[in-house]
Amino acid sequence: MEIRLSRREWLVGTSALLGCKGSGNSASSAGTQGRPGPDRLRVLTYNVLADPVEIDRRIPRLLEIFTEADADLLALQEVAPWFVAILEREGWLARYQAARDADGRLALPNGQMILSRFPIPRSRARRLTGRQRRTVLVSEIALSADETFVLATTHMESLLEDGPTRATQLDEIFAELAGETAPTMLAGDLNFGDGEQPDTEHLDPAFTDLWTHLHGSADPGLTWNRERSPMAAAGSFVGEPSRRLDRVLLRGSGWLPSSIAIVGDRSISGDPWLFPSDHFGLVAEVSRA
């Protein structure tokens, strides 16, 4: 199957997605009244691929992965309007709260989306330096009446030569999160691999990388895997290797990394070319310290 993916060009100029319409949340902030916060949180981060490639076949499997993950929080990237419509039709926007802008519309800056089983009192987006109009979306999650957790997601500049721009974007993201006093997680598609510079040296050491913390060097955790996924190979730049583009980073003494695993790394049954997305996703769990 020869399909040239253009995912890295699609998001240029899509900042208008901040105003997608959506159904109201079925959950209420009253759900946290008088209840203690959870002892563990499961988080799914996934670049779902904005290109409408074989959506009748791959999206049902993608939603099965969402269900199997049983995540409390979802951080999604490359969320196109057609994908929002599917989430609404399949009931995901009724089962979860979604990050919204000040007017109550779904907050989808540059195709990023946050869903939560807990109320989201506030969300904000910051435009990052760079030609591709990348952003970071930050949501305050109300785990209980008096406990919050901050989840941020981003999809950073994509070209291989954009390391200096990504370094600046990392500085901007961590500056945006510096004022948060609650435990804070950054999950998303950072678009650079382990050890790549100058990107790597701009990671905030206050944040723990769950994959390297729990797996060390035993497993490279490649979420952009040209060898495993023909979709990734088709969407790669010339000379691009397989890399760990997708990450989950945690700051805060109240929570400890428990587990992290790759999902979506198997092809759709009967078609070795087709995967749920060209990226693999990550499911992470953190537990109370």
Side-chain angles (χ1 to χ4, degrees):
M1 179 184 296
E2 283 294 328
I3 298 179
R4 181 64 185 175
L5 305 180
S6 58
R7 80 197 196 288
R8 296 180 178 183
E9 288 73 40
W10 180 88
L11 286 176
V12 177
T14 60
S15 57
L17 284 179
L18 188 59
C20 277
K21 293 182 179 179
S23 60
N25 291 315
S26 62
S28 166
S29 60
T32 63
Q33 296 299 318
R35 295 184 182 180
D39 291 329
R40 64 99 170 122
L41 287 171
R42 286 178 65 81
V43 182
L44 170 70
T45 183
Y46 218 132
N47 182 321
V48 298
L49 179 58
D51 292 338
V53 176
E54 296 280 0
I55 60 175
D56 290 340
R57 299 173 61 205
R58 70 179 184 88
I59 299 306
R61 177 55 191 145
L62 189 63
L63 296 183
E64 286 179 359
I65 292 171
F66 286 11
T67 300
E68 293 162 2
D70 191 27
D72 301 295
L73 307 173
L74 290 83
L76 307 178
Q77 305 86 46
E78 293 203 29
V79 175
W82 60 262
F83 190 76
V84 174
I86 292 174
L87 289 179
E88 185 168 11
R89 185 184 72 211
E90 298 297 324
W92 286 87
L93 297 187
R95 296 195 297 271
Y96 282 79
Q97 295 233 4
R100 295 179 179 271
D101 65 19
D103 295 326
R105 299 173 300 178
L106 289 177
L108 298 169
N110 209 242
Q112 288 142 211
M113 185 181 212
I114 288 176
L115 298 176
S116 170
R117 282 180 170 154
F118 303 95
I120 305 178
R122 283 172 289 278
S123 295
R124 67 186 188 275
R126 172 172 174 168
R127 169 80 177 275
L128 304 175
T129 296
R131 298 184 304 275
Q132 295 177 327
R133 301 183 183 178
R134 305 294 184 164
T135 60
V136 59
L137 175 62
V138 184
S139 289
E140 177 185 314
I141 313 296
L143 299 181
S144 69
D146 55 3
E147 181 183 13
T148 59
F149 187 91
V150 175
L151 176 62
T153 188
T154 190
H155 183 191
M156 290 167 49
E157 209 84 357
S158 64
L159 303 182
L160 293 179
E161 63 269 24
D162 283 336
T165 299
R166 286 189 293 271
T168 298
Q169 291 175 344
L170 286 170
D171 291 343
E172 293 169 344
I173 289 169
F174 291 123
E176 184 68 24
L177 300 177
E180 300 292 348
T181 58
T184 301
M185 177 177 285
L186 173 64
D189 178 0
L190 303 193
N191 263 327
F192 67 93
D194 285 304
E196 293 180 23
Q197 298 294 357
D199 326 52
T200 300
E201 65 183 10
H202 287 259
L203 290 167
D204 187 340
F207 282 77
T208 297
D209 186 313
L210 268 65
W211 188 271
T212 56
H213 178 80
L214 294 169
H215 291 272
S217 58
D219 186 339
L222 304 174
T223 58
W224 183 255
N225 196 322
R226 291 172 47 89
E227 289 70 40
R228 288 283 304 277
S229 170
M231 287 179 69
S236 294
F237 298 118
V238 175
E240 180 180 10
S242 296
R243 298 186 289 167
R244 188 170 71 97
L245 299 184
D246 305 84
R247 308 192 191 191
V248 178
L249 311 177
L250 175 68
R251 183 191 68 198
S253 58
W255 295 88
L256 296 176
S258 296
S259 65
I260 187 168
I262 289 176
V263 294
D265 57 345
R266 295 184 180 181
S267 64
I268 305 297
S269 178
D271 190 341
W273 188 93
L274 187 64
F275 281 70
S277 175
D278 52 351
H279 282 246
F280 299 158
L282 292 170
V283 175
E285 185 169 303
V286 296
S287 303
R288 286 195 182 276

